[in-house]
Amino acid sequence: MKDIEDEIPFAVPDGWAWCRLPNLCKIPITDGTHQTPTYSDKENGIPFLSSKDVTSRKIDWSKIKYITKELHEELQKRIQPCRNDILLAKNGTTGVAALVDTDKIFDIYVTLAVLRPAEVVHPNYLHYVINSPFCKKQFNGHLTGIGVPNLHLNDICKTIIPLPPLSEQQRIVAKIEELFAQLDCITTTLTE
């Protein structure tokens, strides 16, 4: 992998650092199963997410599919998504990420990558940065495929992230969430 010094696009404040995405994750960045799943019904199955369920920075649970419990047990050996993980769409609507905000048990398809934030990075900060135009531009520079765009794990791992101290990350997250709340309020007012 190239030296990160050659890729730094702009200076960051003192106390900040540039980091490759894998260095901000507790576990290696991985994706879901590559095998075609055996589907089940909602009553007997386990929730199964793909990139179509992560298109708007949140998980859309309304149209998910379900897989058999047997397949679930097999898939859990590979990766067990959990609260504060970030699911990153690798196919279709690439580069869109959602923060897991539930303790529900579920599995994922190959079209999603799992990023588990390390202690040095606030999960919400990483989620916002990954969804920023800055990261989207990096992801778009690596897309392959004709028709359905595809983002490979090794290309995701090349992504560089500006990392402020944890206290600054928390201030950034608080400000972003304050602005989103104001935006929601304005949107609600306009649609009434």
Side-chain angles (χ1 to χ4, degrees), residues 10-185:
F10 52 85
V12 292
D14 287 342
W16 290 45
W18 284 100
C19 300
R20 288 217 189 270
L21 194 47
N23 296 333
L24 301 177
C25 297
K26 283 183 191 174
I27 61 172
I29 297 170
T30 191
D31 52 16
T33 181
H34 290 229
Q35 70 185 55
T36 303
T38 306
Y39 292 111
S40 180
D41 57 14
K42 183 176 182 177
E43 290 71 32
N44 299 305
I46 304 295
F48 185 72
L49 303 179
S50 70
S51 60
K52 70 173 183 51
D53 305 307
V54 178
T55 57
S56 64
R57 300 180 186 199
K58 292 184 185 220
I59 298 171
D60 180 0
W61 296 95
S62 67
K63 296 177 185 154
I64 63 169
K65 294 188 176 184
Y66 295 84
I67 57 170
T68 64
K69 290 179 179 162
E70 296 77 25
L71 179 56
H72 161 71
E73 288 171 15
E74 186 63 32
L75 298 184
Q76 289 286 292
K77 294 174 188 169
R78 180 181 173 102
I79 184 71
Q80 298 175 19
C82 60
R83 181 180 291 275
N84 289 329
D85 280 355
I86 295 169
L87 303 179
L88 176 63
K90 295 174 42 209
N91 300 82
T93 309
T94 54
V96 175
L99 186 69
V100 177
D101 61 358
T102 181
D103 293 316
K104 279 184 194 180
I105 292 174
F106 65 92
D107 294 294
I108 61 168
Y109 196 39
V110 65
T111 58
L112 289 172
V114 175
L115 292 74
R116 185 159 296 155
E119 290 76 16
V120 297
V121 65
H122 191 292
N124 287 317
Y125 173 79
L126 189 57
H127 175 235
Y128 290 134
V129 172
I130 288 172
N131 279 312
S132 71
F134 173 72
C135 279
K136 185 74 171 163
K137 183 178 179 185
Q138 291 180 72
F139 294 144
N140 286 346
H142 296 293
L143 291 179
T144 61
I146 298 171
V148 178
N150 189 23
L151 187 58
H152 294 280
L153 287 176
N154 61 344
D155 291 324
I156 293 169
C157 291
K158 294 175 184 173
T159 305
I160 59 172
I161 304 283
L163 184 70
L166 207 47
S167 59
E168 183 68 14
Q169 292 175 45
Q170 291 166 336
R171 283 193 290 276
I172 291 168
V173 166
K175 187 63 178 177
I176 290 171
E177 290 176 351
E178 176 189 321
L179 293 170
F180 276 150
Q182 289 175 6
L183 184 61
D184 288 345
C185 187

